[in-house]
Amino acid sequence: MNYLYRKREFSQRELRGLGLLARGGMIRRLNRNAYLVRSSDLQNWYNVHWSRRRWLCDCKDHLKRQKSCKHVCAILFLSRLPQIILSNFQAKDVTCPNCGSDDLTRKGLIHHKEFAGQRFWCKNCRHLFEDKDEATSGLKGNPQLIVAACDLYFKGLSLRVIEDFLKKTYQVQASYPTIHRWIHNMIKRISKLEKDHSLPAGSRWHIDETIIKVNGDPKYLWNVLDAETRLLLASELTSGRTAQDAKNVIEKALQRAEKPPGQIVTDGLTSYRVTLSNNDLNIKHIQGPKLSDPISNQLVERLNGTVKSRTRGFRRLDNIQSSAELFNGLRLFYNNKRPHLALGGKTPAEASKRRVSEVDSQ
């Protein structure tokens, strides 16, 4: 069998490096470019540092072979630790960017300064590529850590708490302005990608509004959720609950979706009835369903609870413009990066792609 298609096994040095990491207390971080790794007999400390786009060590094995020793392997495993942990919690389907095939085999790692990326070999078109996320490729820093920091932020943790968490858990020293820049860049990239594609939503949408206090004044956050893919189609902050406000939110959701829904479920607010009774899209309006009904509005009500849990981490929201940017960022992250148990561990964006492929195959 060709070497490229054989299952990759760890070498003895890699296993020993993993053992050093698992023992604990064997690695000291000097700075982002240098570590001290203790020998197995606990007699010496070896300096492992980043130079000329690779990790170097001053042990005899590395100086003689000029290849990765067990101390370098320990640092490589340490740099991949966030990726290893997160990959065991998130299901991800990797496909070839050249032909779209999923008949792949792993072909080693590409070692970057702060993380190691997995490389794949496509058996269909023989294309060699690195597993990259379109939203995170090109960002400085570990993509998995950046996604984890965004997830913690949108779950309600403050920037300083996230900074402390990354330092204690992953030994990564990232200041809170750096974390804020990560989040801003991530949302900016996802927003740019979303503008190029329509969202393949299902046939039933749920709409609801909830009160959010901005600078002490009550405002209204409108959410439009697709029942099938859990895509959050629109999340708008307004000062009132008029029919015009409801119309603007529904129109924005219609602009983002590939096609209008067959049904829209809302509560008993009069603004919904006025807006949906004057539409030309032939959408069935289900208003004010009871909890015992087959179709209720609990999906979007639960979403409102998720959104409000995020705002509790703030002392207050200063103004409506910055608050609207926050909720738009939460919507983008909710759709593209937050896995859902009801979707089998996939994000709404991944679930919607699977739905499109199933429809096309029928």
Side-chain angles (χ1 to χ4, degrees), residues 25-87:
M26 304 293 286
I27 299 176
R28 292 179 183 173
R29 187 179 190 271
L30 301 178
N31 53 58
R32 62 186 301 180
N33 298 322
Y35 292 84
L36 288 178
V37 182
R38 202 170 190 178
S39 60
S40 300
D41 58 7
L42 309 181
Q43 299 298 319
N44 299 304
W45 288 89
Y46 296 104
N47 183 278
V48 180
H49 60 280
W50 178 267
S51 178
R52 297 180 181 178
R53 301 183 63 82
R54 57 180 298 206
W55 288 102
L56 303 177
C57 180
D58 58 2
C59 70
K60 293 181 180 180
D61 182 42
H62 185 82
L63 294 175
K64 180 180 179 180
R65 298 172 59 251
Q66 292 299 310
K67 294 182 179 180
S68 296
C69 60
K70 62 182 179 182
H71 311 108
V72 171
C73 291
I75 300 303
L76 292 176
F77 277 116
L78 180 64
S79 66
R80 292 194 67 216
L81 190 59
Q83 182 179 356
I84 294 171
I85 295 174
L86 294 173
S87 64

Side-chain angles (χ1 to χ4, degrees), residues 149-157 306 309-311 313 330 333 338-339:
C150 291
D151 185 44
L152 293 173
Y153 178 75
F154 287 117
K155 283 180 177 176
L157 297 185
T306 301
S309 66
R310 175 62 191 99
T311 59
L330 179 59
F333 193 82
R338 190 175 185 271

Side-chain angles (χ1 to χ4, degrees), residues 98-150:
N98 189 38
C99 66
S101 172
D102 59 355
D103 190 9
L104 310 173
T105 185
R106 297 177 186 270
K107 185 62 173 66
L109 303 173
I110 297 180
H111 299 294
H112 303 280
K113 184 174 182 179
E114 298 182 358
F115 67 99
Q118 181 65 57
R119 189 164 51 181
F120 290 91
W121 175 270
C122 178
K123 296 182 181 180
N124 185 42
C125 66
R126 303 180 67 82
H127 178 57
L128 187 66
F129 65 95
E130 182 183 359
D131 179 26
K132 287 184 177 181
D133 191 332
E134 197 173 359
T136 58
S137 61
L139 288 175
K140 291 184 178 180
N142 191 318
Q144 284 75 27
L145 273 182
I146 294 175
V147 172
C150 291

Side-chain angles (χ1 to χ4, degrees), residues 1-7 105-107 121 123 126:
M1 183 182 292
N2 192 310
Y3 171 75
L4 294 176
Y5 302 108
R6 286 189 299 179
K7 182 179 179 181
T105 185
R106 297 177 186 270
K107 185 62 173 66
W121 175 270
K123 296 182 181 180
R126 303 180 67 82

